[in-house]
Amino acid sequence: MASILRVDHIGYSYLGRIPALVDFSLELEEGRIYALIGANGTGKSTLLQLMGGLIHPSQGGVYFRDQEVCETSLEDPAFRRLFRGAVGFLFQDPDVQLFCPTVLDELLFGPLQLGVDEAEARERARAVMQLLALAGLQDRPSYMLSGGEKKKTALGAILTMNPQLLLLDEPTNGLDPRTQHFLIELITGLNQAGKTVVISTHDLQLVEALQPRVAVLSEEHRLERLGEADEILHDEQLLLKANLIYQPFRRSR
Ligand SMILES: Nc1ncnc2c1ncn2[C@@H]1O[C@H](COP(=O)(O)OP(=O)(O)OP(=O)(O)O)[C@@H](O)[C@H]1O
Ligand SMILES: [Mg+2]
């Protein structure tokens, strides 16, 4: 399978001194689902933002179909349009993402920016609102939505762009069980339609349900292991070491 995106020996520190990722390499094959799992602060959100070209590594490189994603390449309008149209990004905190006056405007913004004509953009928005049960909320501003409704709106804003690669940071967080289940079905359906999906999560049940290829991040901000879901989920030592499961201290009698 062809690679859609590759991070090659990347390093990233905030303010030049807070390490977030160290010598990290990962290649995403087109049409697969990936899960980034790791304890708090291991670098999952940072890795997704590097993959999405929202920030750039201080060492190594990010490549989209073998073209480097960096400040210079994104200054080229043709590459920027290609890359921004192909990659959808869901932030861990939807408040960072939502800025339009209404839910409907959020859904229309991406396709209109990409040059989709208005009738087609409205049709996509209508279909996505129906899919995500957002129709009743279309005229509301985001500050009048619940956390889960904001998350669905932010996800809808990506879906109307119809990207090839979806980068979803903790997509099920804050969603009720029915909506979580719906999201699992949605991700599976998108993947069956050929999309590549990367999620970050601590939720091992989500990993079990999606059966993705799994990258485990260590507390040293490195790639601890890359493997198939079943292999990772059955490796108790690995999960304990990565602080993904916790064995409370047992008092001896
Ligand atoms: N804006 C920032 N400024 C400074 N340091 C940051 C910033 N964002 C993240 N960090 C630090 O970078 C490291 C990686 O953070 P990141 O948000 O990528 O982790 P994460 O795996 O997504 O964690 P979580 O599971 O809590 O979402 C952490 O040590 C964190 O404190
Ligand atoms: Mg995070």
Side-chain angles (χ1 to χ4, degrees):
M1 260 293 188
S3 139
I4 185 164
L5 192 117
R6 176 164 64 89
V7 298
D8 189 22
H9 294 288
I10 52 172
Y12 189 86
S13 306
Y14 288 94
L15 309 171
R17 60 186 159 78
I18 304 168
L21 283 174
V22 180
D23 193 23
F24 201 102
S25 297
L26 182 64
E27 183 160 10
L28 305 179
E29 279 176 29
E30 184 136 30
R32 294 201 64 158
I33 306 179
Y34 292 82
L36 310 175
I37 65 173
N40 291 134
T42 47
K44 303 179 295 298
S45 295
T46 305
L47 179 58
L48 286 172
Q49 288 178 46
L50 286 158
M51 287 175 166
L54 302 175
I55 54 176
H56 303 291
S58 29
Q59 286 98 41
V62 178
Y63 300 88
F64 175 72
R65 300 194 203 281
D66 285 333
Q67 205 168 340
E68 187 166 13
V69 182
C70 59
E71 273 167 61
T72 318
S73 64
L74 287 170
E75 275 169 17
D76 170 14
F79 180 68
R80 188 170 62 237
R81 197 185 173 91
L82 172 84
F83 183 71
R84 296 286 173 227
V87 182
F89 195 96
L90 180 74
F91 283 87
Q92 185 166 348
D93 173 5
D95 279 329
V96 177
Q97 192 153 354
L98 302 175
F99 59 93
C100 291
T102 67
V103 168
L104 177 60
D105 292 323
E106 294 290 354
L107 302 186
L108 291 173
F109 181 82
L112 292 179
Q113 279 291 105
L114 291 171
V116 172
D117 74 57
E118 189 166 338
E120 165 69 15
R122 286 192 178 276
E123 175 49 32
R124 288 190 195 181
R126 191 202 56 75
V128 165
M129 282 192 291
Q130 191 174 26
L131 181 72
L132 298 176
L134 286 170
L137 305 172
Q138 71 169 42
D139 296 322
R140 285 221 206 146
S142 63
Y143 65 82
M144 285 174 64
L145 300 175
S146 75
E149 289 165 351
K150 285 181 188 174
K151 198 115 197 174
K152 284 206 283 183
T153 303
L155 181 63
I158 298 168
L159 294 180
T160 52
M161 292 167 65
N162 195 23
Q164 277 306 303
L165 171 62
L166 292 98
L167 304 174
L168 310 177
D169 199 352
E170 310 224 6
T172 55
N173 258 21
L175 298 181
D176 61 52
R178 182 155 28 95
T179 312
Q180 284 196 25
H181 177 76
F182 165 77
L183 194 72
I184 290 167
E185 303 225 305
L186 180 66
I187 291 172
T188 308
L190 287 166
N191 179 245
Q192 282 165 355
K195 311 288 187 193
T196 311
V197 185
V198 187
I199 60 162
S200 83
T201 188
H202 307 105
D203 182 352
L204 298 181
Q205 280 182 345
L206 181 62
V207 175
E208 172 92 56
L210 287 173
Q211 290 290 311
R213 199 156 166 75
V214 182
V216 183
L217 280 75
S218 73
E219 294 190 286
E220 291 74 39
H221 314 287
R222 292 175 181 271
L223 178 63
E224 176 77 35
R225 182 84 68 80
L226 179 66
E228 299 303 325
D230 273 344
E231 171 197 337
I232 302 284
L233 291 173
H234 287 107
D235 192 336
E236 198 177 283
Q237 284 309 315
L238 171 69
L239 297 177
L240 275 170
K241 181 175 177 216
N243 189 14
L244 285 158
I245 54 173
Y246 178 61
Q247 228 167 38
F249 177 71
R250 287 204 197 105
R251 219 183 316 166
S252 52
R253 283 165 192 267

